[in-house]
Amino acid sequence: MASKAIKRRPCSSETDKKSEKRMETPVPDPVTEPLLGHVPQEEKTKRYEPATRLDFWDGTREECLCWAHLLSIFIAQSARKIVNALSEFGSLVARLFGCSSAPQSSQNGQTVPLNLSPLQVERLKLLRQRLDVPYDCSSVKHQDALKELWRAGGFMSLENLIYFARNFPDSFHRLLHKAEGKRAEWEYPFAAGGVNISYMLVQMLDLQSGKISTKAGVHFVQLLEDDEAAFDNLFCVAFQVLDAQWLARRASYMEFNEVLKSTRVQLEKELTMGRISSVQDLPSFRMLKR
């Protein structure tokens, strides 16, 4: 096999000069050069200056104050939820109870006379006033009530819970600490449960309506003649009934609404069973312990 001679292209002097220039280009030192390019000395000092211990605690304190502010806003917003839902109660009840004679309600197309005494009308007005009171963080009275109960979702609901604690402390603490029965891993929150019960009772008794159109509401109005705290007492009974049904169903957190509905059905049945002249006459009232 014949061998072929390899020809080499002679390098010109100009090419040699360019090569020398390329070889003379300085190579950056990876140890001394910054990774992100040249940074002025003052900027690097500011960027890498370590925080002092005082600066650290100042930041922590500011963060705590921020969380406390957000928590206060959350409580105020939660307190307004139930009040906003009940805010129309005053004007509607005023139309119904502007005078103590002639008002009527309808139930399935039938009229039910409401011959209310002046005392009943006055106590309904007081109940309306309580419904219209939102939680006010600047009120000393409201702050004291909140401290006594720890949590609130509207001042009337807070009053209901405090009334429960003061008048039936044994039942209140048993429900608060979930002391009875086999409990679910995910229990209903106590204070939130109280807020829902207050709202459920207002709906059940039709207190937001211009005309009371439920049998339970008609019977409840009659109880105000002899019991100024009829609503608060009914709240205590309702809370006890809800917890009893919770245990009977072995319910968990996601079933709370179903238990609340069944609680309403039972209370409606007891209120309309006849011969009930006070909340204390309800069969479920016997479950309460002072």
Side-chain angles (χ1 to χ4, degrees), residues 23-206:
M23 293 297 294
E24 291 175 359
T25 302
V27 179
D29 188 349
V31 177
T32 60
E33 288 291 326
L35 295 178
L36 299 179
H38 179 69
V39 180
Q41 183 65 28
E42 294 182 0
E43 184 177 349
K44 288 194 293 183
T45 303
K46 293 181 181 179
R47 181 174 301 175
Y48 298 107
E49 182 178 2
T52 63
R53 185 181 184 89
L54 180 59
D55 292 338
F56 173 77
W57 286 115
D58 287 343
T60 303
R61 182 166 57 251
E62 290 179 0
E63 183 178 359
C64 292
L65 291 174
C66 179
W67 278 107
H69 176 66
L70 292 175
L71 181 60
S72 65
I73 294 176
F74 171 75
I75 292 177
Q77 291 176 344
S78 300
R80 284 193 292 268
K81 286 182 180 179
I82 189 173
V83 177
N84 291 336
L86 304 176
S87 59
E88 297 180 1
F89 174 78
S91 60
L92 296 176
V93 170
R95 279 184 247 161
L96 178 61
F97 300 109
C99 58
S100 60
S101 62
Q104 295 182 341
S105 65
S106 61
Q107 175 69 16
N108 298 327
Q110 299 178 354
T111 58
V112 180
L114 292 177
N115 297 318
L116 303 178
S117 68
L119 181 60
Q120 290 172 316
V121 173
E122 180 62 26
R123 287 179 176 174
L124 273 174
K125 289 182 179 179
L126 292 175
L127 181 59
R128 175 206 50 157
Q129 293 172 3
R130 290 172 61 192
L131 287 170
D132 286 338
V133 177
Y135 177 75
D136 183 5
C137 61
S138 64
S139 169
V140 176
K141 180 180 179 181
H142 292 196
Q143 290 178 6
D144 291 341
L146 181 61
K147 290 176 182 178
E148 183 173 344
L149 194 61
W150 304 296
R151 297 168 66 182
F155 192 63
M156 181 180 176
S157 178
L158 179 61
E159 285 184 318
N160 294 151
L161 286 165
I162 293 176
Y163 180 91
F164 191 11
R166 289 175 176 172
N167 292 273
F168 302 96
D170 190 17
S171 291
F172 179 87
H173 285 94
R174 284 189 293 108
L175 296 180
L176 173 64
H177 299 293
K178 316 290 187 184
E180 291 186 344
K182 186 177 180 181
R183 296 287 173 172
E185 182 177 357
W186 294 96
E187 280 287 311
Y188 64 89
F190 181 79
V195 172
N196 280 273
I197 290 172
S198 296
Y199 184 66
M200 178 272 289
L201 291 177
V202 171
Q203 291 181 315
M204 182 186 78
L205 302 175
D206 205 19

Side-chain angles (χ1 to χ4, degrees), residues 213-229:
S213 58
T214 64
K215 289 184 178 180
V218 171
H219 283 78
F220 170 77
V221 169
Q222 307 303 322
L223 304 182
L224 293 174
E225 177 71 30
D226 299 319
D227 187 3
E228 181 180 5

